[in-house]
Amino acid sequence: MGKPTGFKDIERRDRAYAPVSERTRHWKEFWLPLSENELREQGARCMDCGIPFCHQGCPVNNIVPDWNDLVYRGDWRSALEVLHSTNNFPEFTGRVCPAPCEAACTLQLSDRPVTIKTIECAIVERGWEEGWIGPQIPQHRTGRRVAVVGSGPAGLACAQQLARAGHTVTVFEKQARIGGLLRYGIPDFKLEKHLIDRRMAQMRAEGIRFRPNTHIGVAVPVGELVEEYDAIVLAGGSEQPRDMPVPGRELDGVHFAMPYLAGQNRRNAGEDLSGTRRILAKGKRVVVIGGGDTGSDCVGTAIRQGASSVTQLEIMPKPPEHEDKALVWPDWPLKLRTSTSHEEGCERDWSVNTKAFVGSKGNVEALQLVRVRWEPGEDGRMALKEVPGSEFELEADLVLLAMGFEHPVHNGMLTSLGVELDTRGNVRANADNYRSSVENVFSAGDMRRGQSLVVWAILEGRQCAHAVDTFLTGASDLPL
Amino acid sequence: MSEGKTSGQQQIYGQHHNSRRGLYDPLNEHDACGVGFIAQIKNRASHDIVQQGLQILVNLDHRGAVGADPLSGDGAGILIQVPDALLREECAAGGMTLPPPGRYAVAMVFLPRNGETARRCVEALEATTAREGQNGLGWRTVPRDDSWLDEAVKPLAPDIRQFFIGRGDDTPDRLAFERKLFVIRKRAHHAVWDHDHEDKDDFYIASLSSRTLVYKGMMLAPNLPKFYADLRDERTESALALVHQRFSTNTFPSWKLAQPFRYLCHNGEINTVRGNINWMAARRHNMSSSVLGEDLAKLWPLIGDGASDSATLDNAFELLVAGGYPLSHAMMMLIPEAWMGNPLMDEDRRAFYQFHASLMEPWDGPAAIAFTNGRLIGATLDRNGLRPARYVVTDDDIVVMASEVGVLPIPEEKIVTKWRLQPGKMFLIDLEEGRIISDAEIKRRLSAAKPYQQWLDDTLIMLENLPSEVGAMAPDAGTLLHRQQAFGYTQEDIRHFLVPMALTGQDPVGSMGRDTPVAALSDRPKLLYDYFSQCFAQVTNPPIDPIREELVMSLASQIGPRPNLLDPDDICTKKRLEIRQPILSNTDLERIRQIENHVDRAFRTRTIYITYPVAEGASGMDRALRSVFRQAEEAVKGSYNILILSDRPVDADFVAIPALLATAAVHHHLIRRGLRTEAGLVIETGEARRVHDFCLLAGFGAEAINPYLAFDSLEHERPGLKEPISEQELRQRYIKAVDKGILKVMSKMGISTYQSYCGAQIFDAVGLSNAFLERHFTGTRCAVGGIGLHDIAAETVRRHQAAYGGGLPKTSLDPGGDVAFRLRGEKHSWTPDTVSLLQHAVRSNDERTYREFSRRLDDQSRQLRTLRGLFELRFDDSPLPLEEVEPAEEIVKRFSTGAMSFGSISWEAHTTLAIAMNRIGARSNTGEGGEEAKRFRPLPNGDSMRSAIKQVASGRFGVTAEYLVNATDIQIKMAQGAKPGEGGQLPGHKVNEWIARVRHSTPGVGLISPPPHHDIYSIEDLAQLIHDLKNVNPAARISVKLVSELGVGTIAAGVSKAHAEHITISGFDGGTGASPLTSILNAGSPWEIGLAETHQTLVMNRLRGRIAVQVDGGIRTGRDIVVGALLGADEVGVGTGALIALGCIMMRKCHLNTCPVGVATQDPELRELFPGQPEHLVNYFMFLAREVRELMARLGFRSFNEMIGQRDRLGMRQAIDQWKAQCLDLSAILYPVVAEPGVATHQCEPQDHRLERALDHELIAAARPAIENREPVEISIPVANTNRTVGAMLSGEIARRYGHAGLPDDTIRINLEGSAGQSFGAFLSHGVTLRLDGDANDYLGKGMSGGRIIVRPPRGSRFRPEENIIVGNTALYGAIDGECFIRGVAGERFGVRNSGVTAVVEGLGDHGCEYMTGGIVVVLGQTGRNFAAGMSGGVAYVLDLSDDFNLRCNMAMVELEPIADEDRRLEESEHQGGDLECHGKVDLVHDMTRYDSQRLRGLIERHRDCTGSDRAAEILGDWEAWLPKFVKVMPVEYRRVLEEMQAATQAAERNDANMAVGE
């Protein structure tokens, strides 16, 4: 373990951020890394718990205590090895993961968890810097061919694992560039895109073929894949956004969040934007509906685009500032969270529902809102009740709908393949073998599980690879 | 009784004493006893001697046991000289004329009751006699009276007859005659036993000799002469009588296990007996004797006419004597003194022992042995002095020796010597020479008889003196990794074992318990080592403290052939190779490999590879093993005498046979071939790395081990270590850690030498098939059968393939996950899920969440974790309505929390446990460490912080009379699940002022709990402690806590017979604040096994009704409790679960004091974080009770009692898909014991403690005015050795009324005369003075809680007090407070764990003041060895007359200094007031760092005044001259702390003074 009394002697310190005035002027990441000494000190705070709750709290089951200790001892290279043993892409989770590990950390009991995520990010960045990360090229090839459809974190993790097991893997992506949600959904100021390219280079060396701009089931018939490949992994996203079917929804200026965020990322990347719709917040009164991470990303993006005001609305009540640890820890607590984007200047309002969008000349001008209460209904479940007489109006030039996603898009690939769906509209496959109802077809990530975190997608990709490898060769040495 | 029932019973008993049933195995029986003899030194035979012998037996009665029936003892017997007058006349009356005395022998024969078999026995004996050239003279039926037998014994009583044999004409002399008799007996036995006759095992020849005759049987001691008329006959005359009273853990009557045997009787236990038997067998082909000649071959098998260790020892002794060794010589070979590293032993004697060490491995264990051949009679004691033996010599040439003094009334003025047997010493009387021969003389004579030192110089080769060689270096990283993987290394092996061992030189420590499955349930490939668990001593023999009592320990090992035991010519020329410890570096191994060209080519080494082509797969291992056998056999026959079994050639193509399997299999193969002692066995393996691994290799025959891969791994880690350290240093420290670990594992079984541990097989197996064990691990016990060779091979090959096979390269080791939870590692019961579910459930009182918790634990369909997970509850088709079932509020009263001390856990946690338990009528347990008196009074809100269960552990911290009277249950902790057989240590930094107060110790000074209770070395000692505690608090239930291992059932039976009312069977998964990981992971067995065995054995013994059985260790859910009840538990304990309910999150950092939730820490900052509330625990226990209740309804039980032991409601779960678990055979656990009608299957009867016999009833009656009105009283009363525990009941009465403060000094003065029984003045309260004129037995002043004890020789005694023993062993053990003046010498272990008593004594034995933490001891005479071992506090002043005290004192924790005369002037001025007594005790103990001469003089003055001591008067008469002869013994830590405290006080005083000035 690190230092037995480290948790008592050393204060928690985490990455700081550049000042708001400075960081909102560009699209780059803006955190200020800790020094090596600070990182090692922070690693010393880990107590190497007999039951490391972080280890299970982390969806990919990172062996957090081991690498904390190694960092404390300055053995970065071994730390990197341990980290990579459970996580293909720590540089992604080290940036965008909400860090359920830290919520599960024993020191979270006193609100001073180990800075696990920062240490994770530092380990992998150190690895890149030192040149410790290279391709792991298999010595033997199996000759088996696997198609992975979707190049988000699930697809990439799955592809990398399968390639290392010696299979010949092709990754199909409908967009112009590889990365899925990582590439298009997450704003650059949270995850710069050269990080994905760095990994792609590694994966190319490991033998993976990338086929962007290939929309399976639309541009390329599914049948081709079925014929050519020994196994197919459906690792697409959960892309069907939840809509708000209220009067005025058709007005111009009411958009889903994803095209908005993707547009900005494309613009930053210099992609050809012709033929797409420009949605910009500059000088506008922006209202974001939905209090989650996507909503928060919209806030940060709108601010950087120069919105005159940003307001974020949430239908649920305002969560408490502090959770009741006795009843919640080590689970993920529901509590008020303020993201860096929120800090950059935004109004937030809770328990608000939208009755209608109003506007003129086809353009939205305001939202008609009502306050709501959540009360137990007759079946005991919490149900939404409007507060009588609480209606009010909020002016807006741009409304972004960030209320989550329902399930993957069914039309096209899924329908043509004929895979069974579960009750929520996701591809039906269990987390033991990831097999869909169609022979040779597997599914992992959001397409199977529904919208979720990057870290879950990585886990599913890895586990699915194990399942595919077992399916193809009868057994698998791939780690779970 | 109907006929059918009788035969039924007979059948049951018939099975009992010679066969296994369920988990009961007769091999597990233990016994310990009272032993004694009387002899007329001048060999004048008389009937008086026989009478007095029988009287000794009666007065040792309390040391025996009473079985289920008051008439049935465990056996008693007497050995006398052949009573010629009686036999001659009796035979003549029967028409038989006996030859002259000495020309005939008499056999005492027990014949089976089956007529046909008896006839065959008679024939066999007669025929053998004739065949051996002796004359069968005829038979005599021994007169007897069966009405003195217990009903259960009667049907089994043998037909008892005597057979007379005349010396044959060709037999030259009496010695030859005796040898022939031995042969006849052996051959006659085998002629019957080797055939399949009914009841053949009942044929037994109790004695066959021309000198001695044994009368013995299954009866109580007083009934022996009533049964055997011969013993009452005036014509029965003898000059000696050797008697024995047995206390067995069982009641199955066995006439032949009664003692004496043919030569000896034994009080104690031979711990190494399994190995000793093997080694004896191994010698078969290596042994020849010029004396016995061809007769030797007729004697095999040598061992085996009795299941007991004592009988086996008798067999070995008999062989040595027959082979020509004198009696005393044979005894010194079997039970040698601790000769190694004893600076006080003379060179010749050391040479004698060292020389014989290669001939015979010690028979190790507590032993007081009395032996005789009819001409010589003597006694000896084991090296550690663990049994008492006292003797007196009178002026009319009578010697009386016994476990106790006072067994015969002898007028004081006739006594010329009172002494005791000292550790390792012998005492011999030669009746023909008519004199006593002292230990010194015997051994001087024997040591000088041969030039042993010269022989040693000629033959003994120390490995380190061989020419240096070059060992292999560590391989490259890639090869290393593959090898590590092939041998199953995990990351934990490196991180938690190897590196810490190499850095600290210690076996690493962890905390909390094991919650992982046994190897047989794990779906991960386990090493063979994991299937074995270490056995440990509990109750029937004591573990040893290998650190504090290092002087008895030895790791020396001899490699290579052993000399012919019976041929002195052979032995003096044979070269022997010795190593100081058994772990070999690569260089050392090469020295052995290359030895051939050195030391006169006495040794030749052959390396045998234990690897085979992996292509042959798992099925190839059997063939490979057979090939290894063949090679080994050929090598030995080809005169190679050192075999190295090596797995070094392991690579991608070759897989290794598990080294443990290869070792044990070759060891046993060679034993079977009779070749084992021809060659040494050395193991070169990459497999062994943890201490447990080395212990197993040693236990199954490895004489030395080279763990090359462990060294390679360390070398690989070396660059990354925090400190720069050389390769050699790293290796040395690692070896040191392994050595220390082995010593600890050996000592937890009470074994002190590697030589007797080697091959001793002190392990139990779980989950290995019996056929497999029988073949390769012959004699190893296994409760749960399982996989065999093929599966083990498959596991090994699987691991090899994972390392070298294709597929993905694995760049790192398997995570392991035994020590800390890892998702990809071993499965745990406590996981993030189960911990958080339980905590969320109890905090919100949410039963649904709790049910989710219990479902996760109970449902083991996907993941097996516990044996009970394999069971299935057989529910009733029509469940009972819930309301008909006993309410949860009643069920919960059967629950208690585990024992956790205040000190190991925080005040907050400790009191919360107590409050919660008291709220629901359940019980919390103090743990070891006392309890503050304020907790005995209820709180204003009605809550109570009083722990219902008060624990009495080996450290006796805070165990005062007041503590004991405030108990509902008193629990004697014999062992703890996480570290059975080990002591504990509370480091000084954890002993804050608060804890020190409760434990009556000094803040900042570390505290040591010894491994054994120093008043429990045997079952009869435990009975004594139970008696002591019951006397102090007759209302409390006395409980004994044991840990599950094979044989625990028989121990439980003994505990029940020792009158405990409650017994706890702890699983191996119990928790701990700090234990070596080796112990947490590898000692003890799951409670399912121990509990089932306990219940089965108790029911079979008809003892179950007397005792409540509690199970604990890993009880987490209602289902666990129900399974426990069905296997036989009345009650359950929940330890870890309770802590988790209160907030514990299994950090497993208790030993670091950094518990982040304030549970297991004393850090005030962290304690504030403690989240537990009594409600949380109440909720948990009510959830459990309600869950139990629902299961009871479904099972159809209305009350908990109905459910106990109903194992037919447990079935084996079908459809288990785990490959290993499918092989498991749990039938022994589920064996249905059908109780005989009227025999209880749950606790429902009281124990009879015979408290009504206590002398204290009279004392209390006489002391009424003092007890009630504090009026002074004086009482005078005689006392005898049968009056035990005098003063304890009285003290309990006082403590109940007046607490620890008691009564004013001297309020109750009691004057006694005679020999006081054991535990005189135990737990004595303030205000009581016991003045004894006479002498006292063991445990004087045990737990003394105030008061004063004075012992002095009676008026009229003639001996010099300072040269004679007056007080037995282990006086003042755990004493807290008071004064003690002893005019005379005390036995071994005086003042052990004394924490506050001031004592003056005129001499004492070995291990004085061991573990002492406070108080003052003054010794005015000779002191034994190892004084002050582990002494952390208090001071001692020792008179060093022979100027060698520094050699007798253990200097590890203390310093010696002269008594400073610095304050003489001050003293002189103070003395003007006269006697220092007027200053009171407070002054005496005020400042232990100064005023020594003043204090010492004051104490000697008081001693003189209290006892009339001449020695004291003499010293005081010439104080100036005597003072420089005194040495002060001062613990280093203690002085440091006292000085710090003083500095603080002085600083505070200065501050006060300054402030006063300032004002």
Side-chain angles (χ1 to χ4, degrees), chain B residues 426-438:
Chain B
M426 197 183 295
F427 165 67
L428 194 67
I429 304 156
D430 187 325
L431 299 184
E432 286 183 6
E433 285 185 27
R435 67 187 190 97
I436 297 172
I437 310 174
S438 70

Side-chain angles (χ1 to χ4, degrees), chain A residues 336-404:
Chain A
L336 183 65
R337 290 167 195 280
T338 301
S339 71
T340 51
S341 295
H342 293 139
E343 288 167 354
E344 288 162 4
C346 122
E347 295 287 319
R348 286 196 277 175
D349 203 350
W350 287 269
S351 301
V352 184
N353 197 11
T354 308
K355 303 280 285 182
F357 301 104
V358 293
S360 58
K361 300 177 199 158
N363 288 322
V364 70
E365 285 175 347
L367 295 83
Q368 290 185 337
L369 303 169
V370 64
R371 303 241 162 241
V372 293
R373 260 202 313 261
W374 291 88
E375 285 170 357
E378 281 173 16
D379 58 354
R381 293 192 188 179
M382 298 300 270
L384 192 65
K385 294 241 171 73
E386 288 185 6
V387 179
S390 69
E391 293 81 359
F392 66 105
E393 238 183 55
L394 182 66
E395 295 186 335
D397 308 313
L398 176 62
V399 177
L400 297 169
L401 303 179
M403 298 170 299

Side-chain angles (χ1 to χ4, degrees), chain A residues 129-197:
Chain A
E129 254 168 55
E130 301 273 357
W132 294 331
I133 302 176
Q136 297 175 25
I137 303 166
Q139 308 219 354
H140 306 279
R141 301 275 178 189
T142 63
R144 299 308 190 96
R145 296 162 54 87
V146 184
V148 175
V149 185
S151 70
L156 292 181
C158 186
Q160 184 165 52
Q161 294 296 94
L162 285 168
R164 287 176 179 177
H167 304 297
T168 305
V169 183
T170 309
V171 175
F172 296 92
E173 169 58 53
K174 65 175 187 282
Q175 300 287 354
R177 306 188 72 172
I178 296 296
L181 208 74
L182 294 169
R183 176 80 67 181
Y184 293 107
I186 299 172
D188 289 4
F189 59 83
K190 282 173 69 178
L191 181 77
E192 292 180 11
K193 300 309 176 252
H194 61 90
L195 300 174
I196 306 173
D197 301 340

Side-chain angles (χ1 to χ4, degrees), chain A residues 434-455:
Chain A
Y434 290 87
R435 293 175 75 158
S436 78
S437 59
V438 177
E439 179 74 13
N440 298 11
V441 176
F442 298 75
S443 181
D446 285 4
M447 191 164 257
R448 185 198 77 81
R449 158 181 204 103
Q451 61 168 355
S452 186
L453 306 176
V454 170
V455 64

Side-chain angles (χ1 to χ4, degrees), chain B residues 954-1125:
Chain B
S954 64
R956 303 291 158 90
F957 295 106
V959 179
T960 64
E962 183 190 30
Y963 172 83
L964 294 172
V965 296
N966 282 290
T968 310
D969 288 359
I970 300 174
Q971 181 178 66
I972 303 169
K973 178 176 92 173
M974 293 309 307
Q976 182 178 335
K979 49 173 171 181
E982 284 179 64
Q985 202 159 354
L986 197 63
H989 67 263
K990 270 198 171 181
V991 185
N992 63 25
E993 237 173 85
W994 196 358
I995 286 163
R997 190 169 68 239
V998 181
R999 296 192 175 205
H1000 295 267
S1001 71
T1002 315
V1005 176
L1007 300 173
I1008 302 168
S1009 298
H1013 288 249
H1014 279 291
D1015 54 355
I1016 309 177
Y1017 294 155
S1018 72
I1019 187 84
E1020 93 258 13
D1021 288 345
L1022 174 67
Q1024 177 61 38
L1025 177 59
I1026 291 171
H1027 188 71
D1028 296 339
L1029 297 172
K1030 196 73 187 175
N1031 268 280
V1032 184
N1033 185 354
R1037 261 195 332 180
I1038 311 295
S1039 168
V1040 174
K1041 178 175 178 179
L1042 303 174
V1043 170
S1044 175
E1045 67 175 330
L1046 272 184
V1048 73
T1050 47
I1051 290 170
V1055 168
S1056 175
K1057 286 161 74 177
H1059 300 125
E1061 289 140 322
H1062 183 270
I1063 191 166
T1064 298
I1065 303 292
S1066 272
F1068 69 148
D1069 35 11
T1072 175
S1075 295
L1077 289 171
T1078 299
S1079 305
I1080 295 177
L1081 298 174
N1082 304 113
S1085 64
W1087 57 252
E1088 290 90 334
I1089 295 174
L1091 174 64
E1093 187 193 325
T1094 297
H1095 184 74
Q1096 289 169 13
T1097 311
L1098 287 172
V1099 171
M1100 284 185 216
N1101 280 280
R1102 300 183 290 160
L1103 291 166
R1104 180 66 179 87
R1106 288 188 193 179
I1107 193 160
V1109 177
Q1110 184 197 47
V1111 62
D1112 83 358
I1115 302 273
R1116 303 175 189 101
T1117 68
R1119 182 182 183 275
D1120 292 347
I1121 294 171
V1122 167
V1123 171

